């Protein structure tokens, strides 16, 4: 059944055409991810489909039994209401109070009587999300539901939407979220919607194939056009009916020209020279009353560090970055910054902007010219490289979308030639294309990068060390983000096993007492002994298979289907190798204990 059928939707903002000819049908079991560059009209389309904004052309047919719940990007709250009262005010349909309280608690809002006026923007977004999830709806329209959500809540929301017995249309730049929840991806390109079947990985594959076919078609058209152009220059125009027909075909070929050189973000600002001493942190601590955010934290930042800061909302990640940036004074310890260090702080909340300031004036006030790897560029040229075309340069800053303001903030940070980057939730409100370019830039950035983020894909892509906030302290782990998460899961399982063992021990105290009087010797079981004897060869075999698959991946070329199969096979082998390595560690530890008896 079709819940919504929209055809030929149009929408303009001043001289800018956002939606030119958009067609979309939402079926009852669709889980659709909407992607596109910032400012392309994603949020506008959601508002139109949710019925909170009028289109300027086209037709929308809604099912008679459609029950739509809409999460805006920036919900408007009444500061005089409590958390629970505000959630009830958001509801379109009735919901049980116990369910409202359970959802708020799950989203980290346990104080139901707290005034909304005292909450952050992220906490207000959580109230609106709780209301949407409590609705008796068969279509959820969600604008950036993962923004401001910590890892645990994001994973819970993934499961909730995956199990939801209805349709979902959402904007999110969390690529793991898109991969695990969606079965369709729709992309806004030049005012139109292009649809792809499948999740995010399948979207990437299909888009690459579509562009490859389109480029081949354009090459063929260009070759024919070149021949026809030669004829046009040679032949006397309109000499015969046949000639007039050929002229018409030439004109059609000219109109059919396609451009694949779409504007794309270019980040190549030059950083400042960085000396030997970077940042030395010694005995750092921060407290709020009886609450300890962290204490006795010591670390020396290295030139090429790529560090991810991990922890739930409110644990102190932003505070740590602000202390390093010099914006907050620690309660104990010191941060010693090298003389040549030039910190660029890409904060979670961008600086207050004068809404009436013209875009070009705002950038020129920071620098008229910026040194890049391509030489010096003017403020106007830098704006163009950050996807602000000339017709937008006189636009007032207050008219920019949330993503465009975020991109402008990134531009102003990089214009100051930093050699150490501190980034607080850098993926919020940035589109996937911008994130991809930013990731490539950070790969090559000749200095330290410290990132606080809940974006699992972004952290996996970049970080080599993790600072994890755990029980009032900051612990450091080597390896990528997923490796930290795997270690965390192993620790939690071990703790559960230990707790279960203690419970069993308490319930069988007499048997335990007898066991102490007559201790038995540790020994391998038959299966464990066989596994211990063979596991080194098994691990070596898996490493050889992974190396072989990597060679095949590098030689797969443009065969995207084969590339996806090989990538899946490598992921499976990597997971199996990790399991075997953990088993190897257990067996060798047991062997040492047996030998010491």
């Amino acid at each position: 059944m079709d819940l919504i059928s929209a055809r030929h939707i149009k929408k303009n903002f001043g001289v800018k055409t956002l939606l030119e000819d958009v067609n979309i049908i939402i079926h009852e079991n669709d889980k659709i991810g909407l992607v596109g560059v910032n400012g392309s009209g994603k949020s506008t389309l959601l508002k139109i489909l949710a019925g909170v904004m009028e289109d300027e052309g086209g037709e929308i047919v809604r099912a008679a039994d459609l029950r739509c719940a809409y999460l805006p990007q920036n919900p408007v709250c009444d500061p005089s209401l409590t958390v629970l009262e505000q959630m009830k005010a958001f509801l379109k349909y009735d919901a049980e109070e116990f369910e409202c309280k359970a959802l708020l608690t799950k989203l980290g809002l346990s104080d139901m009587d707290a005034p909304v006026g005292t909450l952050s923007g992220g906490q207000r977004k959580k109230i609106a999300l709780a209301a949407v999830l409590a609705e008796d709806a068969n279509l959820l329209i969600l604008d950036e539901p993962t923004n401001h959500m910590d890892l645990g809540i994001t994973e819970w929301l993934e499961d909730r939407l995956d199990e939801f017995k209805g349709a979902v249309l959402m904007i999110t730049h969390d690529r793991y979220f898109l991969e695990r929840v969606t079965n369709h991806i729709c992309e806004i390109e030049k005012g139109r919607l292009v649809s792809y079947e499948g999740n995010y990985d399948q979207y990437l594959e299909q888009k690459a194939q579509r562009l490859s076919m389109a480029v081949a078609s354009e090459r063929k058209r260009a070759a024919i056009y070149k021949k026809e152009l030669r004829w046009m220059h040679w032949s006397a125009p309109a000499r015969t009916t046949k000639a007039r027909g050929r002229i018409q075909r030439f004109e059609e070929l000219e109109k059919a020209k396609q451009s694949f050189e779409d504007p794309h973000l270019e980040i190549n600002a030059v950083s400042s020279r960085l000396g030997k001493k970077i940042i030395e942190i010694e005995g750092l601590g921060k407290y709020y009353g009886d609450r300890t955010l962290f204490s006795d934290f010591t670390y020396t930042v290295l030139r090429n560090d790529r560090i991810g800061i991990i922890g739930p909302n409110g644990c102190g990640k932003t505070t740590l970055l602000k202390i390093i940036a010099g914006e907050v004074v620690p309660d104990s310890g010191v941060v010693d910054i090298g003389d040549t260090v030039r910190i660029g702080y890409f904060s979670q909340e961008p600086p207050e902007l004068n809404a009436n300031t013209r875009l070009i004036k705002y950038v020129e006030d920071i620098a008229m010219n910026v040194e890049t790897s391509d030489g010096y560029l003017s403020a106007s040229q830098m704006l163009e490289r950050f996807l602000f075309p000339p017709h937008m340069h006189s636009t007032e800053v207050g008219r920019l979308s949330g993503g465009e303001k975020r991109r402008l903030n990134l531009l102003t940070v990089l214009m100051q030639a930093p050699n150490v980057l501190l980034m607080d939730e850098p993926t919020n409100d940035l589109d996937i294309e911008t994130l991809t370019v930013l990731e490539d830039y950070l790969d090559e950035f000749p200095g330290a990068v410290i990132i606080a983020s809940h974006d699992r894909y972004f952290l996996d892509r970049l970080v080599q060390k993790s600072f994890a906030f755990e029980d009032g302290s900051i612990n450091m782990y080597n390896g990528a983000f997923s490796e930290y998460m795997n270690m965390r899961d192993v620790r939690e399982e071990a703790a559960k096993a230990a707790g279960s063992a203690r419970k069993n021990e308490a319930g069988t105290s007499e048997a335990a007492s007898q066991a102490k009087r007559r201790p038995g010797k540790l020994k391998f079981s038959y299966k464990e002994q066989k596994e211990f004897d063979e596991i080194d060869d098994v691990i070596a075999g898996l490493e050889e298979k992974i190396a072989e698959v990597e060679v095949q991946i590098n030689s797969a070329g443009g065969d995207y289907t084969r590339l996806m199969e090989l990538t899946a096979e490598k992921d499976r082998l990597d997971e199996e190798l990790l399991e075997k390595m953990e088993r190897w560690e257990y067996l060798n530890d047991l062997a040492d204990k047996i030998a010491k008896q």
Side-chain angles (χ1 to χ4, degrees):
M1 181 180 74
D2 297 346
L3 296 176
I4 292 181
S5 177
R7 300 184 183 280
H8 311 301
I9 301 301
K10 294 179 173 60
K11 186 68 177 180
N12 299 313
F13 276 99
V15 298
K16 183 178 181 181
T17 299
L18 277 185
L19 308 175
E20 186 173 346
D21 188 16
V22 168
N23 300 287
I24 184 172
I25 297 175
I26 304 175
H27 304 288
E28 56 186 342
N29 295 316
D30 283 344
K31 303 288 175 65
I32 303 172
L34 182 62
V35 301
V37 299
N38 290 137
S40 62
K42 301 187 298 296
S43 293
T44 299
L45 178 59
L46 259 58
K47 290 175 184 176
I48 290 171
L49 296 176
V52 299
M53 179 183 283
E54 293 292 328
D55 59 60
E56 295 173 0
E59 177 188 20
I60 300 177
V61 178
R62 296 179 172 88
D65 64 342
L66 174 67
R67 301 183 307 282
C68 175
Y70 168 59
L71 175 71
Q73 189 172 16
N74 298 299
V76 178
C77 296
D78 183 342
S80 66
L81 298 179
T82 67
V83 168
L84 185 58
E85 289 169 344
Q86 180 64 74
M87 179 178 175
K88 290 179 178 179
F90 278 139
L91 290 171
K92 289 171 60 179
Y93 312 104
D94 289 336
E96 297 289 345
E97 184 166 312
F98 76 87
E99 184 181 4
C100 293
K101 289 182 176 179
L103 284 166
L104 287 169
T105 302
K106 188 65 186 178
L107 291 169
L109 298 168
S110 55
D111 186 358
M112 312 291 168
D113 297 322
V116 171
T118 65
L119 303 183
S120 68
Q123 289 171 316
R124 296 182 185 196
K125 182 77 172 271
K126 288 179 179 180
I127 299 174
L129 176 60
V132 166
L133 296 177
E135 299 277 27
D136 178 25
N138 55 9
L139 171 61
L140 304 181
I141 296 181
L142 310 174
D143 195 342
E144 293 288 1
T146 59
N147 267 12
H148 308 289
M149 304 297 169
D150 61 36
L151 297 170
I153 293 174
T154 299
E155 290 173 348
W156 170 81
L157 184 59
E158 273 181 7
D159 294 336
R160 178 98 181 193
L161 294 182
D162 188 50
E163 295 168 1
F164 176 64
K165 304 300 182 185
V168 178
L169 172 63
M170 64 178 175
I171 299 169
T172 180
H173 306 312
D174 186 321
R175 284 155 285 183
Y176 280 162
F177 202 86
L178 285 171
E179 172 67 18
R180 293 165 184 170
V181 175
T182 62
N183 55 29
H184 287 77
I185 299 288
C186 291
E187 183 170 17
I188 297 181
E189 290 183 359
K190 300 176 182 176
R192 290 177 167 81
L193 207 64
V194 182
S195 297
Y196 300 88
E197 292 282 341
N199 59 15
Y200 182 69
D201 269 354
Q202 292 163 322
Y203 148 74
L204 291 177
E205 179 184 355
Q206 292 173 47
K207 182 176 181 180
Q209 291 173 344
R210 181 178 72 85
L211 290 177
S212 178
M213 291 172 62
V215 168
S217 177
E218 171 61 16
R219 284 201 197 100
K220 183 178 179 181
R221 185 210 64 83
I224 297 172
Y225 176 81
K226 189 174 181 180
K227 291 179 182 177
E228 294 295 295
L229 181 62
R230 193 181 304 124
W231 178 85
M232 285 287 290
H233 287 161
W234 171 80
S235 174
R239 182 179 298 164
T240 64
T241 302
K242 184 176 180 180
R244 286 195 296 273
R246 192 164 182 180
I247 291 169
Q248 185 177 353
R249 286 196 300 275
F250 170 80
E251 291 170 348
E252 289 171 355
L253 280 169
E254 194 169 34
K255 290 177 183 177
K257 181 179 180 181
Q258 299 183 61
S259 172
F260 299 97
E261 298 300 321
D262 289 339
H264 61 278
L265 187 72
E266 293 184 59
I267 305 179
N268 57 357
V270 173
S271 61
S272 306
R273 184 187 69 83
L274 190 60
K276 187 175 181 180
K277 180 180 177 181
I278 315 298
I279 300 174
E280 296 177 356
I281 301 169
E282 183 69 36
L284 208 61
K286 188 66 182 176
Y287 319 94
Y288 287 102
D290 296 333
R291 185 185 174 208
T292 299
L293 290 184
F294 51 87
S295 63
D296 198 27
F297 176 57
T298 298
Y299 182 77
T300 300
V301 177
L302 305 178
R303 177 187 296 272
N304 295 315
D305 265 346
R306 298 292 185 270
I307 298 168
I309 304 178
I310 302 165
N313 287 333
C315 68
K317 301 187 298 295
T318 296
T319 301
L320 176 61
L321 287 177
K322 286 184 174 181
I323 289 174
I324 297 172
E327 295 187 3
V328 170
V329 178
D331 293 320
S332 61
V334 294
V335 177
D336 190 9
I337 297 176
D339 293 336
T340 61
V341 169
R342 198 165 181 175
I343 291 176
Y345 182 30
F346 187 41
S347 61
Q348 186 172 353
E349 298 294 335
E352 286 293 326
L353 306 177
N354 184 339
N356 298 319
T357 302
R358 301 290 176 181
L359 194 54
I360 185 66
K361 178 70 166 59
Y362 178 77
V363 175
E364 285 178 344
D365 285 346
I366 296 168
M368 295 295 293
N369 294 284
V370 179
E371 185 181 2
T372 74
S373 57
D374 297 330
Y376 280 91
L377 298 179
S378 66
S380 176
Q381 289 171 314
M382 287 299 294
L383 278 170
E384 289 186 51
R385 291 200 170 197
F386 273 68
L387 302 183
F388 295 105
H391 73 264
M392 289 187 66
H393 293 184
S394 60
T395 301
E396 295 174 345
V397 169
R399 295 177 62 86
L400 300 179
S401 70
E404 288 170 328
K405 288 177 181 177
R406 194 82 167 131
R407 197 165 67 234
L408 177 63
N409 186 26
L410 177 62
L411 166 61
T412 57
V413 169
L414 297 182
M415 282 176 68
Q416 299 171 56
N419 48 30
V420 172
L421 282 174
L422 308 180
M423 314 192 84
D424 193 357
E425 296 293 351
T427 65
N428 280 359
D429 299 318
L430 290 181
D431 59 73
I432 291 173
E433 182 177 323
T434 299
L435 290 176
T436 302
V437 176
L438 178 58
E439 287 161 357
D440 290 341
Y441 172 76
L442 294 178
D443 272 341
E444 304 299 326
F445 182 74
V449 180
I450 304 176
I451 304 164
S453 179
H454 296 310
D455 189 320
R456 298 158 294 176
Y457 187 100
F458 193 78
L459 290 172
D460 263 345
R461 172 73 172 75
L462 291 170
V463 308
Q464 300 161 348
K465 299 175 185 175
S466 297
F467 291 168
F469 279 72
E470 298 171 328
D471 301 323
S473 62
I474 302 174
N475 299 317
M476 195 196 82
Y477 297 87
N478 286 314
F481 168 71
S482 285
E483 293 175 276
Y484 158 74
M485 295 297 288
N486 289 335
M487 286 187 281
R488 184 199 67 174
D489 292 342
V490 169
R491 289 197 309 274
E492 289 177 355
E493 288 299 322
K496 287 180 183 177
S500 177
R502 284 193 295 270
K503 185 177 179 180
N504 291 337
E505 183 179 352
T508 56
S509 57
E510 180 60 28
S513 177
Q514 292 177 4
K516 285 182 180 179
R517 290 193 295 269
R518 301 187 301 274
K521 285 192 173 184
L522 286 172
K523 63 178 182 179
F524 279 129
S525 68
Y526 172 81
K527 287 185 177 179
E528 286 175 333
Q529 183 65 59
K530 188 172 186 296
E531 186 181 9
F532 179 70
D533 293 338
E534 297 173 352
I535 196 163
D536 285 334
D537 292 335
V538 171
I539 288 173
L542 285 170
E543 289 172 338
E544 288 176 7
K545 287 180 181 178
I546 290 171
E548 290 170 5
V549 171
E550 287 175 343
V551 170
Q552 294 177 53
I553 288 173
N554 292 332
S555 61
D559 188 347
Y560 295 100
T561 301
R562 178 62 176 155
L563 189 59
M564 293 299 295
E565 291 173 352
L566 290 169
T567 303
E569 175 65 5
K570 183 178 181 299
D571 290 343
R572 185 189 66 77
L573 290 170
D574 285 339
E575 187 174 345
E576 187 177 350
L577 178 61
L578 180 62
E579 291 173 358
K580 292 298 181 185
M581 292 295 289
E582 291 171 357
R583 189 64 178 164
W584 178 91
E585 186 175 339
Y586 164 77
L587 291 171
N588 277 271
D589 183 58
L590 181 56
D592 287 342
K593 290 177 180 177
I594 291 171
K596 291 175 182 177
Q597 289 184 132

